Amino acid sequence: MDLASTLDLAQLRALSAAVSEGTLEAAARALHVTPSAVSQRLRALEVATGRVLLVRSRPVQPTESGRALLRLARQVELLAGDTLAELEAGGGGGPVDRGPQVLPIAVNADSLGTWVLPALAPLADPSAAAPVCFDVHRDDEGHTAGLLRSGAVVAAVTTDPDPVAGCSVTRLGAMRYRPMAAPAFARRFFPEGPTAPALARAPVVVFDRKDTLQERYLRRHLPQGPAGAVRAAPPAHHVPSSADFLAAVRLGLGWGMLPELQVRAGRHEPGEDLVDLDPGGAIDVALHWQQWKLGSASLERVAAAVTAAAHRHLVQ
């Protein structure tokens, strides 16, 4: 079967929209067609490929074969958007009827809450020559590369230095995290500093179940079991929001590993300074920018903006 000759752009767009929007009804609204039309296009694509591409759950989920087609669909959308922008910029005719270029990217919460959004803002300005709309997927920096593999995003801030197949990698620098606590909390639980007995009983704030920063710090000070896990884990609060994580530490719920960038940015607020429990105990998390190798002008502009901002703000 000559698959290339059987693929239909409208069908690929239906697949991309269904995964992005979560339901066939929402995909239909995004594409300005009926749900029946979306369903027919998806069915035709499955017949053409001989594969089941979607699990019709809520939200819909791509199968392994669907993820491969989804990567192609996103790449086609990106290159088509760049081509239309180039045609419009070249003149010689009326304006090209096109929607905004949408770039799905994956960013970890701490980068999103500190340095990434200011870097992206100029590219999203409606008065720019080719403004970009961002579909930001937030995930732990150790898991964002998986979104590249699945085709959900075209670029990602990740800790993974090994390129995903079909992607290039650029080192951005490192986010530095420090063990911080509210002054009253530090006086109560750490009168002699972060000793092993104090760390074993002091409550800790953790971002979510993927967050290992606090555990990495605790492993430096507390006895470990056979698998490397801390034997005497302290009480933990899970607060999965960068701003609320900082607020939880300030309110004395526990101590936590806070990005140095976030701590510095918040020090203009009177009376809310935090205590660095261990000035020599910072943990650096190396970040990389991975993106598809597509020759896309809009993607290259995003990469340049992110890389420049990283070199200004991250530890080099």
Side-chain angles (χ1 to χ4, degrees):
M1 177 181 65
D2 183 3
L3 181 59
S5 65
T6 64
L7 293 176
D8 181 274
L9 293 182
Q11 295 167 6
L12 290 173
R13 289 190 68 200
L15 176 66
S16 178
V19 175
S20 295
E21 302 299 327
T23 67
L24 302 194
E25 293 78 11
R29 290 193 293 271
L31 296 174
H32 305 293
V33 298
T34 65
S36 176
V38 171
S39 182
Q40 289 171 12
R41 292 174 188 180
L42 291 172
R43 179 58 184 158
L45 187 58
E46 289 181 325
V47 169
T49 58
R51 304 283 196 282
V52 175
L53 302 177
L54 287 179
V55 177
R56 264 68 167 182
S57 55
R58 282 187 175 266
V60 298
Q61 297 291 335
T63 63
E64 184 175 352
S65 297
R67 287 192 289 271
L69 265 294
L70 180 61
R71 286 194 295 271
L72 174 62
R74 295 278 164 81
Q75 291 169 359
V76 169
E77 287 176 339
L78 182 57
L79 293 176
D82 282 347
T83 301
L84 290 175
E86 185 177 349
L87 288 173
E88 190 171 63
V96 178
D97 183 17
R98 64 184 180 94
Q101 179 76 294
V102 179
L103 286 183
I105 62 174
V107 184
N108 61 305
D110 290 331
S111 292
L112 195 61
T114 51
W115 63 275
V116 166
L117 285 181
L120 300 180
L123 302 174
D125 186 345
S127 63
V132 176
C133 285
F134 293 99
D135 180 7
V136 179
H137 297 240
R138 191 200 71 187
D139 205 345
D140 181 85
E141 59 272 14
H143 296 261
T144 48
L147 295 171
L148 273 173
R149 293 186 186 94
S150 71
V153 300
V154 299
V157 176
T158 174
T159 55
D160 194 345
D162 299 319
V164 172
C167 293
S168 62
V169 181
T170 302
R171 191 181 190 280
L172 296 175
M175 286 202 75
R176 178 161 290 169
Y177 291 81
R178 296 190 176 279
M180 308 294 291
F185 183 93
R187 289 192 297 270
R188 177 183 176 187
F189 287 97
F190 299 105
E192 299 177 6
T195 62
L199 287 167
R201 69 184 183 90
V204 59
V205 182
V206 180
F207 188 84
D208 60 18
R209 268 69 182 180
K210 298 176 183 177
D211 177 14
T212 62
L213 279 170
Q214 286 70 215
E215 184 178 355
R216 286 173 60 183
Y217 182 82
L218 288 170
R219 284 203 299 264
R220 296 178 177 178
H221 298 271
L222 298 181
Q224 299 174 31
V230 175
R231 287 186 184 275
H237 304 282
H238 291 84
V239 184
S241 159
S242 289
D244 295 330
F245 185 101
L246 173 61
V249 173
R250 279 187 166 143
L251 290 168
L253 271 71
W255 67 273
M257 300 298 295
L258 285 168
E260 193 173 66
L261 288 171
Q262 190 180 34
V263 174
R264 286 205 307 261
R267 282 205 164 135
H268 65 280
E269 301 176 24
E272 291 192 346
D273 272 7
L274 296 169
V275 174
D276 190 339
L277 298 175
D278 184 2
I283 293 178
D284 287 351
V285 176
L287 298 177
H288 301 80
W289 175 257
Q290 292 211 33
Q291 69 179 55
W292 288 345
K293 297 177 183 177
L294 287 179
S296 162
S298 55
L299 186 53
E300 290 303 325
R301 289 200 307 273
V302 174
V306 168
T307 302
H311 287 174
R312 288 195 302 271
H313 297 292
L314 301 183
V315 177
Q316 299 300 317

